[in-house]
C-alpha cells in the first residue's frame, strides 16, 4: 500500500502551489521516519511520477514533471 495525503494548494486565497505539506506512507515502498524538502519550484507532479514508479507504473513524464524525487 502506498498513500499520499495532502493538498495541491498551500494558500487558497492566492492559489499558491508552493511549499505544499504532503504526507507519504508506504511500508516497504518508501523509507519512513524522515522529513524531505524538495528544491524550490519543484513540481508536485515530480512526486506523483516517483510514486507511480514505486507501484510499478513506469512513465517518462507525468503532467508538468521535470524529473523524479530521488530522496524517496
Amino acid at each position: 500500500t502506498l498513500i499520499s495525503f495532502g493538498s495541491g494548494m498551500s494558500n487558497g486565497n492566492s492559489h499558491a502551489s508552493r511549499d505544499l505539506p504532503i504526507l507519504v506512507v508506504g511500508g516497504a515502498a518508501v523509507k519512513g521516519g524522515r522529513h524531505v524538502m524538495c528544491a524550490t519550484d519543484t513540481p508536485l507532479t515530480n512526486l506523483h511520477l516517483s510514486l507511480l514508479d514505486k507501484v510499478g507504473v513506469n512513465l517518462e513524464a507525468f503532467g508538468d514533471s521535470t524529473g523524479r524525487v530521488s530522496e524517496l
Side-chain angles (χ1 to χ4, degrees):
T1 302
L2 185 60
I3 299 170
S4 172
F5 178 79
S7 174
M9 201 175 304
S10 62
N11 182 337
N13 290 329
S14 65
H15 291 253
S17 61
R18 299 177 71 177
D19 299 325
L20 300 174
I22 306 289
L23 175 69
V24 177
V25 181
V30 292
K31 182 180 175 185
R34 301 176 300 147
H35 178 247
V36 176
M37 289 187 66
C38 294
T40 303
D41 295 328
T42 301
L44 178 58
T45 51
N46 284 9
L47 174 63
H48 294 154
L49 185 61
S50 300
L51 294 177
L52 285 169
D53 285 345
K54 297 284 184 182
V55 298
V57 179
N58 298 309
L59 300 174
E60 290 185 31
F62 182 76
D64 65 346
S65 64
T66 58
R68 288 167 169 75
V69 178
S70 60
E71 297 86 358
L72 287 183

